[in-house]
Structure formats: C-alpha cells, structure tokens
Amino acid sequence: MTRKIVVVDYGAGNLRSVARAVMHAGGEPTVTADPHEVADADALIVPGVGAAADTMRNLSEHGMVEPVRDYIASGRPFFGVCMGQQALLSVSEEGGEHECLGVIPGRVKKLPGGQKVPHMGWNRVRQRTEHAIFEGIPDESYFYFLHSYYPDPEDESSVIGETEYGVTFASVLARDNIVATQFHPEKSGATGLRMYGNFLSWSPGDS
C-alpha cells in the first residue's frame, strides 16, 4: 500500500521545494490546505517560513490547528521544518508573545546580539542522540539555516541535534513520533535529501 504523505499548505513559502525533496526521496507528496487530508495522512510534513504569529494565524484560518494536533496525538510520523518546528512549542516571543501548538513545552526566543541576525547560510549540526533521522548522515554535517528565533524546549531530552550561533540552540527536536528541524533540509543538498528519505522510511518507536 502506498503511504499518503501530506505536506500542509497554509500559505507559507517553500512548499514546492519541500515537495520536490519528498519526490526525490521516493515519496509522492500531496500538498494540501484541506484539513481532511491531514486526518487521512500516513506521514505529515509542516514546512514554513516567516513569523510565528503569521504561521499560527494562517494555520487557524485554514482550520489546521486541531487537525495537526490530533494527527500528532495519533502517533503517526510528523516532520516540522523551520517554522513548522517553532510552532510545536508553547509560546513564541517573536513580535510579542504568541501561543503556538503547545505540543512540546518551551519557548521560541530571539537569537542574541553579537552576530548577524537573521542566521542565514550553512552551519553545523552536532548530533546529541542517535536517531533514525540521522541514518547515514555524518555528525557535524552542514545544513542551511534562515531564522532569527530559535526553539528553547523545557525538556532537554527532546533535543537530538544542536547548533552554535551566539547561543547553543536546538536545531533538531525529536519526541515519540515527532521530528523537527530549525534548518531547511530541502535547501541542504544531498544531506538534506537523505534526511527526507530517512523520515519517509521511519517507523516511530524504532529510533
């Protein structure tokens, strides 16, 4: 049976490049703004660029907030990318305080001064924990980043990859059926494509 891989379209950018990366990794993505498609997914990807407030407003306007929460609660594989990662936390401090999905307790904070913000370009990811998402990817590999805020989860055990940029921040989160990255795998060359392939073949619980 072909797995139904859904990429959530809530008006954010980079959907086309995410869909291409999924196809390159052997999947057949359904890019959709239909909440019913989320409910029927076998694997769900929430990409995103922009600000937390816009992301949450757009998810709400598309009727996606509860379907995404329900999907995650079902135990099926979930991949959040960039804003799709930050939206998992409780609160974002970007432009005030904005409630997020609250799936992973913690806050989204602004990168400290002392270096150029946004953090844009290639940086290393140090693997703190073995996980299926890292299969075949060397430790300290480079990925492409573009962000001004970073996730700060309350539970350190959810941080499986970290990156230095004025502060050590969680560049990869994982908990149960959730994997999420602050960087853009779809813009990270062969290594990023390998990560999408790893997600597509991942069975939560086997990590």
Side-chain angles (χ1 to χ4, degrees):
M1 183 180 68
T2 302
R3 297 176 75 212
K4 182 173 182 179
I5 303 156
V6 170
V7 179
V8 174
D9 177 5
Y10 57 93
N14 79 319
L15 289 171
R16 190 172 299 173
S17 57
V18 170
R20 281 199 304 265
V22 171
M23 287 187 285
H24 190 279
E28 297 181 9
T30 299
V31 179
T32 181
D34 184 350
H36 296 98
E37 298 275 15
V38 171
D40 292 338
D42 297 310
L44 188 67
I45 300 171
V46 176
V49 293
D54 294 337
T55 297
M56 291 306 301
R57 182 177 64 251
N58 289 338
L59 284 171
S60 180
E61 287 176 354
H62 285 80
M64 288 287 190
V65 171
E66 288 309 316
V68 169
R69 283 184 176 136
D70 290 345
Y71 174 91
I72 292 172
S74 76
R76 288 168 286 171
F78 175 92
F79 195 3
V81 177
C82 195
M83 276 310 308
Q85 182 204 50
Q86 294 185 10
L88 292 170
L89 276 72
S90 307
V91 174
S92 173
E93 298 176 359
E94 185 172 3
E97 286 211 355
H98 302 280
E99 181 181 351
C100 296
L101 292 172
V103 176
I104 296 178
R107 301 179 72 84
V108 177
K109 300 180 178 180
K110 187 173 179 62
L111 288 166
Q115 63 281 311
K116 185 178 179 180
V117 175
H119 173 207
M120 181 170 62
W122 298 86
N123 205 341
R124 296 178 188 269
V125 172
R126 180 167 58 251
Q127 299 175 19
R128 288 180 42 164
T129 307
E130 289 188 8
H131 191 281
I133 202 70
F134 291 137
E135 180 68 30
I137 298 175
D139 192 15
E140 303 281 352
S141 288
Y142 281 89
F143 292 89
Y144 186 84
F145 290 81
L146 177 56
H147 64 117
S148 300
Y149 288 75
Y150 68 94
D152 185 21
E154 292 177 8
D155 183 2
E156 278 287 310
S157 69
S158 66
V159 182
I160 66 166
E162 60 187 14
T163 296
E164 302 275 352
Y165 194 74
V167 64
T168 301
F169 66 88
S171 50
V172 190
L173 295 174
R175 193 190 72 188
D176 301 328
N177 58 312
I178 298 170
V179 173
T181 65
Q182 181 58 66
F183 52 82
H184 291 274
E186 69 279 0
K187 297 180 180 180
S188 300
T191 306
L193 293 176
R194 176 61 187 259
M195 184 165 279
Y196 273 109
N198 288 344
F199 171 70
L200 296 183
S201 61
W202 175 46
S203 296
D206 295 345
S207 302

